[in-house]
Amino acid sequence: MRYSVWDKEIRSNFDRRQLTRQQRSFLEGLLLCLEPGAYLSDHVSTANSTVVALTRAHQALAGHAAGGQPKLGLLKRCLTTAASTVAAGLPAHQALGGGQQATQAHTLLASIPGLLTSATSKATAAAYAPRIQAHIAPTAAHIRTWVTSVWDGPVLPPDVLARARGEVAALIVLDGRDPRSLHIDLIRKGSRAVQDAVSITAVLWPPSRTYRVAGLVQGASQLEHLDQLLPGSRQSPLLASRPVTVGAQELTARAAAIKGPAVMIDLSVAAADAATAVVRARRQISEALDQYAAGQRLVDLTLGPHTITVDDAGRRESHHLTSVSTSVARPLTTHWPVSLRPALRSAHLAARLDAPMASSALAWSVIDSLDVDSTQLDLVAKACALHSIRQLLIALYQTVTNSALNYLRSAQMRLANDTSDLAKLERAVGRTQTLEQPAARAAHAQLAEQARHARQQLTPQEQTVRSLEQTVTSHAAVVRRVLLKDGDNGHPLRLTSWKLDVNGWLDVLLPARAQTGQDVRDAQAAIDALSRMAGGYAQDTLTLWRARLADPKLLSDWLQDQQDILHALLEWLYATRNSAIHRGQFTAPADAMTAHAARGVVDMLLEFLGNWHKIQYSRGAAESDALSVIRDLANRKDSLTHHLAQAPSCHPLNLESVTGPGVDCWNRS
């Protein structure tokens, strides 16, 4: 998996600004958990966020008071899991100061389920919804101050720093900030901003700006009464002689291949960046088109992929909805398990929908199609928690190796840039060498001195980079030999995980014992060296996982945390599904985050179910139904917890097939 955070320009900026390990770890982890393609347990949508928990608790109470959804039993469960989420964050709130606000919110939240009865639930929900809501803004304001604590304060324990990243990332998403725009503003476009806590905070939460966003709707040349549905909007037919729409020229050129009528629309949107403005505008236009689709039921109205934004300073940008592609697409399995066909279809449709709550509802239908009852969500949470061990440890390998290689690439980039700058200086020296004017001679002398100084600095820099290349190549050779079956012989620095021996990688992470082989010890030394080179997030995350794997109780506690997070998420997904289906509610706070998490859960389920069926098929075994697989894995998770409670170490853990069929995950034989 290729994350944009492992970009040589980013590392170069961090090194030039001489960021501390904690500052780098915070920013790198923040950017990584905002990556759309991050593993579910790494992504912000599963962050144990206090503000998200309070937001969802308020939404559940308000929804029950207004329309009885979620129903009483589900409402209580949602509130209980929200209270658990807030409780899990109290140590971080206390460590970073201001824990009183979070403690008060938790006390109130934990008290509500006991007050709800069938006779008074709506009145009680109506009374407590505003009281929960009153805690959201102060808690969010307090979390924003954590940036200063992380940036200027003492070194934090890795678990507290991880919690801080998750809380801050959740706020960034809730406030409406496009991850790619943040990436550009924070690093590439705004390296000057990476200076102090105040400037970092300003980049994370910039003031809202006004954008005019223009798009193209195909299927009609005019939308009557659009200004009533979208106040302040404007429209022009595609071939209007005097179009009033912003971006009309660009959109007309883009629409050259359109057959049939089309209309250009623009409207005003407030957002922190242009990409977020596009998302909000497209959502408003799409929802307005629902009216026309109902009024003209035989007409197909579609919003095109091209969009133009113009901000309040007149800056114009063109946007195009792009999708990830691949040269070769591979199926989940080659034999198409009958029990997964409905799930595969629903998952595909959920991924294509841009309406978040509708996407969440379709994602829930995947779980429904696996015969999982709403009372069996603990089984799904346990199975997914178990699988997340494998996912995140593989992600850790990618993080350490990518970050270390990125350090080398950034050093090579700086050398290439400095070499190019020296060449330009020397050409300038040559051009001014024969000039006779006094000013020209003075300029020549100055340029010559600059070139001499740059040449002196370049020599040791070249030596440093060559030494670094040799060091990284030698460590990479050990990793390839021990963990990658020698990898790709033609590319000594290609350390992708597609050939990774996952149990071998687990051995590298576990503490060495008397019986630990020399190959594993060599790989441990190589990974330690690469992580020190990488520093920042990679080094902190490696330290955190090494501590968990060195102490069975810590690993057991982490597993339980994952189960609790996923169980709370599943409860909320069920509540979202009910609101969407029974009340027709398709807009809610944090609904985009919920939809991403819903699709992530589905991806994880299909990943281990598909692998299970693939192995059964290769063995000629009968296909298990999905629910029995999930139940087996839930039992396996409980068994693992039991083993961890009694074991002196985590060495018996079998990561290779931890969620595979017919395997004891506490036995490698």
Side-chain angles (χ1 to χ4, degrees):
M1 187 174 295
R2 176 67 176 151
Y3 293 131
S4 60
V5 66
W6 311 132
D7 181 292
K8 58 181 180 290
E9 293 181 25
I10 294 175
R11 179 59 189 256
S12 182
N13 268 317
F14 287 167
D15 290 343
R16 187 168 61 252
R17 292 292 171 186
Q18 297 183 320
L19 300 189
T20 67
R21 171 175 161 178
Q22 178 161 290
Q23 290 168 346
R24 277 192 46 226
S25 179
F26 176 71
L27 289 180
E28 288 172 349
L30 195 63
L31 290 169
L32 188 144
C33 76
L34 292 170
E35 286 274 1
Y39 286 116
L40 177 64
S41 295
D42 264 343
H43 192 263
V44 63
S45 61
T46 56
N48 231 359
S49 165
T50 302
V51 173
V52 171
L54 292 173
T55 299
R56 287 173 173 167
H58 166 256
Q59 185 182 341
L61 287 166
H64 183 81
Q69 287 291 347
K71 292 191 178 295
L72 181 58
L74 180 57
L75 173 63
K76 287 184 176 183
R77 296 199 300 273
C78 288
L79 294 174
T80 299
T81 53
S84 298
T85 298
V86 176
L90 290 179
H93 282 267
Q94 291 159 357
L96 293 163
Q100 183 178 3
Q101 177 68 44
T103 301
Q104 290 174 351
H106 172 258
T107 301
L108 175 62
L109 192 54
S111 69
I112 300 174
L115 303 174
L116 294 168
T117 66
S118 57
T120 64
S121 63
K122 287 190 175 182
T124 303
Y128 278 88
R131 293 182 60 183
I132 292 295
Q133 186 179 28
H135 283 280
I136 297 175
T139 303
H142 166 61
I143 290 171
R144 288 188 183 91
T145 68
W146 290 7
V147 176
T148 301
S149 300
V150 169
W151 208 256
D152 300 327
V155 176
L156 298 170
D159 56 337
V160 173
L161 184 60
R163 177 75 189 213
R165 278 196 304 262
E167 294 272 18
V168 169
L171 274 191
I172 290 170
V173 174
L174 287 175
D175 286 358
R177 191 76 162 97
D178 176 69
R180 301 299 185 193
S181 298
L182 173 60
H183 177 278
I184 293 169
D185 292 343
L186 187 61
I187 307 300
R188 293 181 174 171
K189 194 174 64 179
S191 60
R192 294 185 302 275
V194 186
Q195 295 176 10
D196 53 38
V198 174
S199 57
I200 290 294
T201 302
V203 174
L204 297 180
W205 295 287
S208 185
R209 307 183 68 172
T210 300
Y211 293 85
R212 294 296 302 189
V213 183
L216 190 67
V217 173
Q218 302 175 41
S221 56
Q222 182 180 0
L223 300 173
E224 287 188 350
H225 309 300
L226 181 66
D227 56 338
Q228 293 176 242
L229 299 174
L230 292 176
S233 63
R234 301 179 301 187
Q235 61 176 310
S236 298
L238 182 59
L239 301 177
S241 57
R242 293 184 178 179
V244 298
T245 311
V246 162
Q249 182 176 354
E250 295 96 323
L251 290 175
T252 300
R254 292 280 189 179
I258 289 180
K259 295 181 179 180
V263 59
M264 295 175 287
I265 298 173
D266 75 28
L267 69 159
S268 180
V269 178
D273 53 66
T276 301
V278 168
V279 171
R280 292 179 177 175
R282 290 182 65 87
R283 185 163 179 173
Q284 290 182 43
I285 294 171
S286 293
E287 290 172 357
L289 292 181
D290 294 342
Q291 281 268 25
Y292 296 95
Q296 305 283 153
R297 59 187 179 83
L298 299 182
V299 173
D300 184 17
L301 298 172
T302 58
L303 178 57
H306 303 288
T307 314
I308 308 296
T309 60
V310 180
D311 66 16
D312 47 18
R315 180 182 175 185
R316 183 183 300 261
E317 292 183 47
S318 179
H319 307 261
H320 180 70
L321 293 184
T322 57
S323 57
V324 178
S325 60
T326 181
S327 57
V328 179
R330 295 179 177 86
L332 180 69
T333 67
T334 56
H335 66 286
W336 206 348
V338 174
S339 64
L340 292 187
R341 290 192 182 192
L344 291 167
R345 185 59 179 157
S346 295
H348 187 200
L349 292 173
R352 294 172 66 86
L353 280 180
D354 60 359
M357 289 187 70
S359 180
S360 297
L362 263 175
W364 182 266
S365 72
V366 174
I367 299 175
D368 267 343
S369 74
L370 302 177
D371 293 327
V372 177
D373 187 79
S374 61
T375 61
Q376 298 172 308
L377 299 183
D378 60 319
L379 301 180
V380 179
K382 289 178 181 179
C384 289
L386 187 66
H387 192 64
S388 65
I389 297 178
R390 178 185 170 91
Q391 276 195 346
L392 291 185
L393 287 181
I394 292 174
L396 175 62
Y397 170 82
Q398 296 167 330
T399 294
V400 173
T401 54
N402 282 337
S403 188
L405 292 174
N406 192 44
Y407 174 56
L408 172 60
R409 286 193 294 267
S410 69
Q412 292 169 329
M413 181 192 73
R414 288 194 301 273
L415 175 60
N417 290 342
D418 291 346
T419 302
S420 175
D421 290 343
L422 175 59
K424 291 176 184 177
L425 268 176
E426 290 178 332
R427 286 195 296 272
V429 170
R431 285 195 302 270
T432 59
Q433 189 170 9
T434 58
L435 299 178
E436 298 297 332
Q437 298 89 340
R441 286 199 300 271
H444 170 75
Q446 183 179 12
L447 289 170
E449 176 60 23
Q450 290 176 356
R452 184 188 65 79
H453 181 67
R455 202 177 299 111
Q456 286 179 340
Q457 289 186 319
L458 197 62
T459 299
Q461 186 181 357
E462 288 174 338
Q463 294 172 348
T464 299
V465 171
R466 301 300 168 243
S467 176
L468 181 60
E469 288 172 345
Q470 292 174 2
T471 301
V472 173
T473 301
S474 66
H475 293 319
V478 175
V479 172
R480 292 168 63 247
R481 172 172 57 83
V482 178
L483 298 177
L484 301 180
K485 303 173 185 176
D486 287 331
D488 188 339
N489 291 326
H491 298 84
L493 291 180
R494 183 175 292 173
L495 299 178
T496 53
S497 61
W498 68 285
K499 285 187 176 182
L500 181 65
D501 175 1
V502 292
N503 273 341
W505 170 236
L506 178 60
D507 288 335
V508 169
L509 299 175
L510 288 163
R513 301 181 294 177
Q515 59 265 49
T516 299
Q518 189 58 47
D519 276 354
V520 173
R521 292 178 186 272
D522 291 345
Q524 286 177 331
I527 289 295
D528 284 343
L530 291 174
S531 76
R532 286 192 297 271
M533 260 179 232
Y537 177 80
Q539 191 173 12
D540 280 353
T541 308
L542 180 66
T543 301
L544 191 58
W545 270 105
R546 279 229 166 110
R548 287 171 184 157
L549 292 169
D551 184 343
K553 183 181 183 308
L554 288 180
L555 183 60
S556 180
D557 290 345
W558 177 84
L559 254 180
Q560 188 60 48
D561 286 343
Q562 288 298 298
Q563 179 184 327
D564 292 343
I565 290 169
L566 290 163
H567 194 272
L569 175 60
L570 288 164
E571 295 280 15
W572 183 248
L573 289 180
Y574 187 50
T576 298
R577 173 259 189 198
N578 288 350
S579 295
I581 292 177
H582 297 307
R583 295 185 60 205
Q585 181 181 349
F586 285 93
T587 301
D591 54 7
M593 189 184 296
T594 299
H596 188 104
R599 294 190 293 267
V601 169
V602 166
D603 286 344
M604 184 181 283
L605 282 168
L606 292 176
E607 182 176 313
F608 65 70
L609 288 172
N611 181 62
W612 188 290
H613 288 310
K614 184 163 56 178
I615 293 173
Q616 285 186 325
Y617 182 75
S618 68
R619 295 173 179 172
E623 183 181 295
S624 300
D625 65 272
L627 181 57
S628 68
V629 174
I630 292 170
R631 186 178 285 111
D632 283 350
L633 292 179
N635 291 336
R636 191 179 298 178
K637 186 270 171 187
D638 288 339
S639 176
L640 177 58
T641 299
H642 175 74
H643 286 303
L644 291 171
Q646 299 177 328
S649 79
C650 297
H651 284 83
L653 181 62
N654 187 344
L655 190 64
E656 176 65 40
S657 50
V658 65
T659 48
V663 175
D664 179 0
C665 67
W666 196 247
N667 184 355
R668 296 205 196 175
S669 59

